[in-house]
Amino acid sequence: MIARVTLEIALRKEFDYLVPPELARRVEVGSRVKVPFGHRHVMGCVTALLDDSPHTNLRAIEKVVGAQSLVTPGVLELARWIASYYCCPPEIALKSVLPEAVRREEEGWRERLFVRAIPLTGELPKLTKRQQEVWNILEERREIALQELLELAETTAETVRRLEDKGLVSIAPQISERDPYAHEQIVATQDLTLNAEQATALATIKAAMNSAEGKRGRGEKEKEGAAATALSSSPSPLFPSSTFLLHGVTGSGKTEVYLQALAHTLAQGKGAIVLVPEIALTPQTVDRFKARFSSGPQQTLVAVLHSHLSAGERHDEWHKIRQGRARIVIGARSAIFAPVEPLGLVIVDEEHEHSYKQEEAPRYHARDVAVVRGQREGAVVVLGSATPSLESFYNVKKGKYALLELPHRADHKKMPVVRVVDMRQAARKEKGPPIFSPQLKEAITQRLERGEQTILFLNRRGFSTSLQCPKCGYVAQCPNCSLSLTYHRRAQQLRCHVCAHSEAAPAVCPDPKCRNPAIRYAGLGTEKVEDTLVKLFPHARVQRMDSDLMKRKEDYRKVLGDFGRGKIDILVGTQMIAKGLHFERVTLVGVIYADLGLHVPDFRAGERTFQLLTQVAGRAGRGDVEGEVFVQAFTPFHPAIQYARRHDFAGFYEQEIEFREQLKYPPVSRAALLTLKGRNEDKVRFVAEHVRVELDKFTTGTPGKGEKEKRGSEEGDFWLPPAAPPPLFSSAPFRDLIIAGPAPAPLLRAETYFRYQIMLRTRQMSALSLRLAALIAGLKLPEDVTLTVDIDPVSLV
């Protein structure tokens, strides 16, 4: 038998190896193996098993890692699709589907000493008082970890060893699984009664899950066709829509629909994946799922996967899924690769969130990968949001997805009243822009008097956004990025929020010719808002929540726990408090500067602002008291702010899609962003221009002619040969391809690298990805200039 293996080194090739007879029973598609490669020994994954190979003198596989294959056939095919569509090497895509803790050669199980009581055959021998206390615990527990026993009995290992000598207990090493939620007290919950809108949505999802059973028998050809159309703008010709967009206003009870749909999945004998954005920051969500399934009568193990787990916890949680013991997986974007078999349901909560997009290769979008995986494996996919992405709603309009709507809050609670405050008027009255308008200050005072809670939102951390000298004009700049440094007063540091550079905050102007002591800090962040609140409301209990303070995985849970118990009056934070939180005592939400993100050079700026304002406003009025939201803005009549004020997603979509159609921006077309980086700006610009010349050939179908381009630079002359013509596919021109650039990135220099961008827009992204992959393979770039391709980028900065 011969195994075809993809190695963990970027070669864009697969290699054939002999399978030794002693390993024949253990090697299967998806197995992790160790193989010789040149003078090295490297890890890889078996992607196919063959009877023969065109190559001779094959070397043999040395070792198989794990008792079973680690990559399921479905996930393996998904990795191949990711490599093709997102224009990255297959080995990088394959590497991304397994957590690093699982990829290691040595298995990462933790062994601990366990003490087990041996059944008595006669009378209990005479024991000392300490030994009797230990024995009483063991009689009740029968088996317990040695360390836990010592803590319970408040004794030493020597006491337990004495019991072993008397033949009463055995002490032996056992695998001990690490449960990140072992110490949490979770109270079981039951299904809630659904309102009519929720019941209709759930019935539709259940019907699709029932009909999905018949689709599992379809052939591979149909699967390939479904996956190819999964991200297109037209409905799949093969399946009736099994992808739903659940559009429900904040507080409409989407989570309860998810929970009851999951129960139906389990009843069918299938598993499910639930994706949530930044899961370590939303413990409320995890608790609700665990309370319904891990503690209830169904006793289904719920596994959690996210980056804030330790390597050991990730290892153990992943293996619970692979062994079929955990049937529900909750996690951030990489949880979409969880080895759930058979898969019946995929839920993507807050599907509009940009954190679902991976920032390094493979630059996949978990929402889109979820849709493709659902199509390939015959699973139903539910995308939920109060503010859907324009891409998802566009697919609804085109008939690709089915729309389920929850237009009202559960239990007939009212949506909060949103008041927009024109900060231009407040600035004129107070001779400068204030942090709090008089209206917001009065509203906070009323809440404090009534014992209600307030959330204040500002999507910018730190104390001040820049340090300036009014005398000489000096501004503290990051030495690595084209960005000013942010002042953090508590740490007395200037920090860059891009490259993490930090330096001590100066007492005088750093310019040696000036040395002015009257340096000034301009702008504001959450730290300054917190400081001002303490001065304005000295008796209020104020807590700030941003990434500067939330360093450990327990910090977020502790602060939210205190807020839920009423120990905090005012919570100040960045976007981590804008979503997924449900606190009934919150009756006021204040947005400090609503238009911070409106003026970013990105065509999605308005969409992001609308989503963020709607989400943060939805934190108010979830209890019996009606909520109120104050939105402070310097551009109060911007459509994104006005539509958010009215909770009018449909109106915002109609005006925004008109602008996208005029300029052929996504979702009307699909986009690819090519970024060139290097430390010499002239060289980066020249290489970008050369790449543009090659890209222009995509619109004409002309192959490269072989001329050399030459240009001088500070580092001397350099030249670039044109790319080799793309092999194995048609070089037919793209009639709808729009190429913009090269142009400097909005943030020209980041982490010491100058960056230039080229944006491509087309409706034929799958074909364009293949052409781009071939172009990159043929380009001979200078060693100090790199090219990255981002398919369907979510940020242009």
Side-chain angles (χ1 to χ4, degrees), residues 280-320:
L281 308 182
T282 52
Q284 278 190 326
T285 305
V286 180
D287 288 350
R288 287 189 70 179
F289 283 89
K290 279 187 167 284
R292 186 64 58 88
F293 297 107
S294 289
S295 306
Q298 299 178 71
Q299 285 291 310
T300 300
L301 195 60
V302 176
V304 180
L305 293 174
H306 61 84
S307 60
H308 283 238
L309 299 181
S310 68
E313 288 168 342
R314 273 198 297 274
H315 173 276
D316 293 358
E317 292 288 287
W318 192 91
H319 278 283
K320 287 176 195 172

Side-chain angles (χ1 to χ4, degrees), residues 329-345:
V329 181
I330 308 175
R333 59 177 175 262
S334 61
I336 190 57
F337 304 119
V340 178
E341 289 186 310
L343 183 64
L345 178 65

Side-chain angles (χ1 to χ4, degrees), residues 311-564:
E313 288 168 342
R314 273 198 297 274
H315 173 276
D316 293 358
E317 292 288 287
W318 192 91
H319 278 283
K320 287 176 195 172
I321 304 163
R322 185 66 185 100
Q323 292 165 7
R325 291 184 289 133
R327 304 300 299 142
I328 296 174
V329 181
I330 308 175
R333 59 177 175 262
S334 61
I336 190 57
F337 304 119
V340 178
E341 289 186 310
L343 183 64
L345 178 65
V346 182
I347 294 169
V348 185
D349 192 28
E350 309 291 3
E351 63 86 24
H352 65 277
E353 273 295 324
H354 297 124
S355 59
Y356 284 127
K357 177 73 171 176
Q358 175 94 343
E359 293 181 357
E360 59 274 340
R363 293 174 174 80
Y364 66 88
H365 197 300
R367 177 198 63 215
D368 295 343
V369 174
V371 172
V372 172
R373 184 171 181 183
Q375 293 279 24
R376 284 174 172 270
E377 298 190 29
V380 171
V381 180
V382 178
L383 312 176
S385 178
T387 54
S389 63
L390 262 68
E391 285 80 2
S392 294
F393 207 75
Y394 187 77
N395 275 333
V396 167
K397 294 290 188 181
K398 293 294 180 182
K400 174 81 177 77
Y401 302 162
L403 180 64
L404 303 172
E405 293 189 283
L406 304 177
H408 304 103
R409 283 190 159 181
D411 301 328
H412 308 289
K413 292 184 174 67
K414 291 183 179 179
M415 294 296 290
V417 176
V418 181
R419 309 184 193 282
V420 179
V421 180
D422 189 343
M423 292 300 284
R424 296 172 298 182
Q425 295 180 8
R428 281 195 291 269
K429 291 176 184 176
E430 300 200 18
K431 297 180 180 177
I435 296 177
F436 301 107
S437 62
Q439 299 96 314
L440 181 55
K441 271 193 280 192
E442 177 61 26
I444 294 171
T445 303
Q446 291 174 5
R447 268 50 180 201
L448 292 172
E449 290 172 351
R450 298 202 297 252
E452 296 166 1
Q453 292 176 303
T454 299
I455 288 178
L456 297 178
F457 170 76
L458 176 65
N459 203 19
R460 180 188 280 164
R461 56 194 172 94
F463 191 87
S464 298
T465 49
S466 64
L467 176 148
Q468 298 172 318
C469 175
K471 186 177 178 182
C472 71
Y474 171 87
V475 176
Q477 294 280 344
C478 175
N480 306 319
C481 312
S482 47
L483 200 68
S484 61
L485 295 172
T486 301
Y487 174 53
H488 291 252
R489 193 168 79 168
R490 179 175 292 188
Q492 281 298 304
Q493 283 187 329
L494 297 173
R495 293 177 184 168
C496 175
H497 291 173
V498 173
C499 71
H501 166 82
S502 64
E503 57 189 63
V508 298
C509 175
D511 189 332
K513 296 179 181 177
C514 179
R515 312 302 289 175
N516 176 25
I519 52 174
R520 188 171 59 200
Y521 294 99
L524 79 157
T526 49
E527 197 177 351
K528 190 170 185 178
V529 173
E530 178 193 30
D531 183 69
T532 308
L533 277 171
V534 171
K535 292 174 182 174
L536 287 174
F537 307 102
H539 301 296
R541 295 166 296 178
V542 179
Q543 176 65 52
R544 174 164 55 96
M545 181 179 286
D546 56 32
S547 56
D548 290 335
L549 286 182
M550 304 294 108
K551 298 291 187 185
R552 298 174 302 172
K553 58 184 178 183
E554 305 86 17
D555 293 340
Y556 192 84
R557 183 179 289 272
K558 181 182 182 303
V559 171
L560 290 185
D562 288 347
F563 193 59

